[in-house]
Amino acid sequence: MTRIDSIGRIALLVLQAFVAVTACAGGVVLILGSVNPAWSSVLVPPLDYLEGSPFTSYLVPGLLLLVLVAGVHAVAFVVMISDSSWDNTIAAAGGFACVIWIGVQMVFIPFSFLQALYFTVGLVELGVTMVRLGILEPVTRLHRTTFASVRGQRSPHASE
């Protein structure tokens, strides 16, 4: 395991644990607030936000948050801990789950800091996964130009 891979693995584990725990808490709060309005708190958005959506309460969105976001991230965490060959695939699924969840949510719910945070977390998960897969090359230099010599080779664009 390379140093970049090891750092990426740790970063993904931290992000997956964070999203799994917080999305689970959010899903439970939405479900409880829907089942018994007396249990609703400042954590449950107003029902007005659901106007124009297919939902009349936060019960289904809470279940979806619990399963699709928290569940996928919990599975990704376990798979990453077990060092399975599926770790990057499930990590990417978690990143996509976050980005898609927030994208759909922003259609109905006004912008909030948490949406920006979780959208960014999803993008970071996808980026780290791509670096681990070798799709993206990690930035190893502060600046690289087409006219600079890279690894002792002349650039094909450099003047003769």
Side-chain angles (χ1 to χ4, degrees), residues 82-111:
S82 69
D83 207 20
S84 166
S85 61
W86 287 89
D87 57 358
N88 287 316
T89 304
I90 307 298
F96 280 119
C98 252
V99 169
I100 292 168
W101 176 265
I102 295 301
V104 171
Q105 187 184 74
M106 288 182 72
V107 170
F108 300 105
I109 297 179
F111 177 80

Side-chain angles (χ1 to χ4, degrees), residues 51-107:
E51 285 181 21
S53 80
F55 308 112
T56 57
S57 77
Y58 285 105
L59 177 63
V60 173
L63 289 168
L64 291 173
L65 179 61
L66 199 58
V67 173
L68 298 179
V69 179
V72 170
H73 278 85
V75 169
F77 182 84
V78 170
V79 169
M80 187 72 68
I81 286 285
S82 69
D83 207 20
S84 166
S85 61
W86 287 89
D87 57 358
N88 287 316
T89 304
I90 307 298
F96 280 119
C98 252
V99 169
I100 292 168
W101 176 265
I102 295 301
V104 171
Q105 187 184 74
M106 288 182 72
V107 170

Side-chain angles (χ1 to χ4, degrees), residues 5-6 14 19 31-32 39-40 42 48 61 74 77 81 95 98 101 107 117 119 131 133 157-158:
D5 193 46
S6 179
V14 168
V19 174
I31 292 166
L32 291 178
W39 293 340
S40 184
V42 296
D48 299 344
F77 182 84
I81 286 285
C98 252
W101 176 265
V107 170
L117 174 70
F119 190 81
V131 168
L133 289 170
H157 303 291

